[in-house]
Amino acid sequence: MDKIRKELNSQNIFLYILAFSLLVILIIAVLGGYLFRYYYKTVYFDFEQGNEEHISAIISRHENDIQILQDISTQLALSEDVTRFRLDDQPQKALHLEEHLKRYTTVSQFFSLLLYWYHGDDYLYHFSSSVSLDSFLNTNCILENYDPEQFRSLLEQEKKDFLILPEQEVTGMWINGYLSDLNKIIYLMDISPSREETLIFIVPASYYDNLLTRSGSDQAEESRTDFLYYDGAFITCRGD
């Protein structure tokens, strides 16, 4: 009888230990799952919020930069004393126009080169001189994705707001004398209301390198690619 009682006690102790162990395991599992979900959600939320803030900052900065282009177009539209002329007929206007373009280019942190073309003239103007349209298209500004005739057509066509030529290699002794970046993004904007004038804003690729770099992190180690679109148009991409 004593032997049976001892066996029962041993079994009860074993069952008690087993039950206690299972209870501890269950508590650890529940607590661990809760902590995992809590910290996962916290880390994911912080990651998501950080990305949203980064994207929001990119959008805000780029919107401001585009607004600057539009403001320049508006200001030149109101400056009839320095625009809408032929160089052969009014060479003095060219000097005043170059001063305007120099002022815009000097203060800009977005574009590095601004050119103006009146469709009735054979020359484009930038902050220090003029260049013939034919020379510009055929030898001085060679686009990777457009031949000279295609580029001319884009300059001449009427654009509702502006046209974006996505990042591409742009070569030519003249333009590379002003910009060290081989790759460039080009914005073409008509001046309203006549739309007989076109502004050419040339943005170096390094601007978008800085814009899309994630603050406080090494983007090269993130194994990601960022694509930048504006108003439905592809501009550039960065990453692997």
Side-chain angles (χ1 to χ4, degrees):
M1 189 69 178
D2 292 337
K3 185 178 180 181
I4 294 174
R5 186 179 291 110
K6 288 180 180 179
E7 290 180 356
L8 290 174
N9 288 336
S10 298
Q11 291 178 0
N12 290 336
I13 293 172
F14 174 76
L15 292 174
Y16 173 78
I17 294 174
L18 180 61
F20 180 78
S21 299
L22 292 175
L23 180 61
V24 171
I25 292 172
L26 179 61
I27 292 173
I28 292 174
V30 171
L31 182 60
Y34 171 78
L35 292 175
F36 174 79
R37 288 195 300 272
Y38 173 78
Y39 284 109
Y40 174 80
K41 288 181 179 179
T42 300
V43 171
Y44 181 78
F45 175 78
D46 291 344
F47 172 78
E48 189 177 53
Q49 187 177 43
N51 273 284
E52 289 177 355
E53 291 175 352
H54 174 66
I55 293 172
S56 178
I58 290 176
I59 293 172
S60 178
R61 179 176 172 183
H62 203 253
E63 287 281 358
N64 290 336
D65 289 331
I66 296 298
Q67 184 61 52
I68 289 173
L69 306 191
Q70 295 170 336
D71 291 344
I72 291 174
S73 176
T74 300
Q75 291 174 22
L76 285 174
L78 300 175
S79 305
E80 294 185 0
D81 57 323
V82 299
T83 59
R84 296 175 58 79
F85 66 92
R86 289 181 55 84
L87 180 61
D88 294 339
D89 300 331
Q90 297 175 291
Q92 73 282 0
K93 272 193 172 185
L95 298 177
H96 297 307
L97 174 60
E98 288 168 12
E99 283 298 319
H100 276 67
L101 300 180
K102 182 178 181 179
R103 189 184 315 144
Y104 296 135
T105 305
T106 301
V107 300
S108 173
Q109 297 180 345
F110 179 37
F111 61 88
S112 294
L113 195 61
L114 166 60
L115 298 102
Y116 167 93
W117 178 49
Y118 169 51
H119 297 187
D121 193 19
D122 298 324
Y123 294 88
L124 295 92
Y125 303 87
H126 62 102
F127 63 84
S128 63
S129 65
S130 60
V131 58
S132 73
L133 179 62
D134 287 338
S135 175
F136 177 78
L137 294 173
N138 291 293
T139 60
N140 290 312
C141 185
I142 308 301
L143 307 188
E144 176 185 8
N145 298 330
Y146 303 89
D147 63 35
E149 287 305 313
Q150 290 174 321
F151 193 15
R152 179 190 288 269
S153 177
L154 295 176
L155 292 175
E156 293 174 342
Q157 77 177 33
E158 183 176 310
K159 297 166 279 294
K160 291 183 179 180
D161 190 2
F162 61 84
L163 182 64
I164 301 171
L165 306 188
E167 181 176 344
Q168 60 190 294
E169 185 176 301
V170 182
T171 57
M173 183 179 298
W174 180 84
I175 196 167
N176 287 331
Y178 291 97
L179 297 175
S180 59
D181 289 41
L182 184 60
N183 287 350
K184 305 168 182 67
I185 298 88
I186 299 177
Y187 291 84
L188 304 179
M189 182 176 294
D190 288 340
I191 297 180
S192 298
S194 69
R195 299 193 181 279
E196 295 179 349
E197 305 154 276
T198 298
L199 297 177
I200 306 171
F201 298 91
I202 301 179
V203 181
S206 57
Y207 167 83
Y208 287 100
D209 288 332
N210 296 328
L211 180 65
L212 295 177
T213 296
R214 298 172 56 79
S215 301
S217 65
D218 186 355
Q219 192 176 20
E221 296 180 357
E222 289 189 358
S223 187
R224 57 178 286 171
T225 299
D226 292 327
F227 295 86
L228 184 61
Y229 291 82
Y230 181 80
D231 196 27
F234 172 76
I235 298 177
T236 186
C237 66
R238 288 292 183 274
D240 296 339

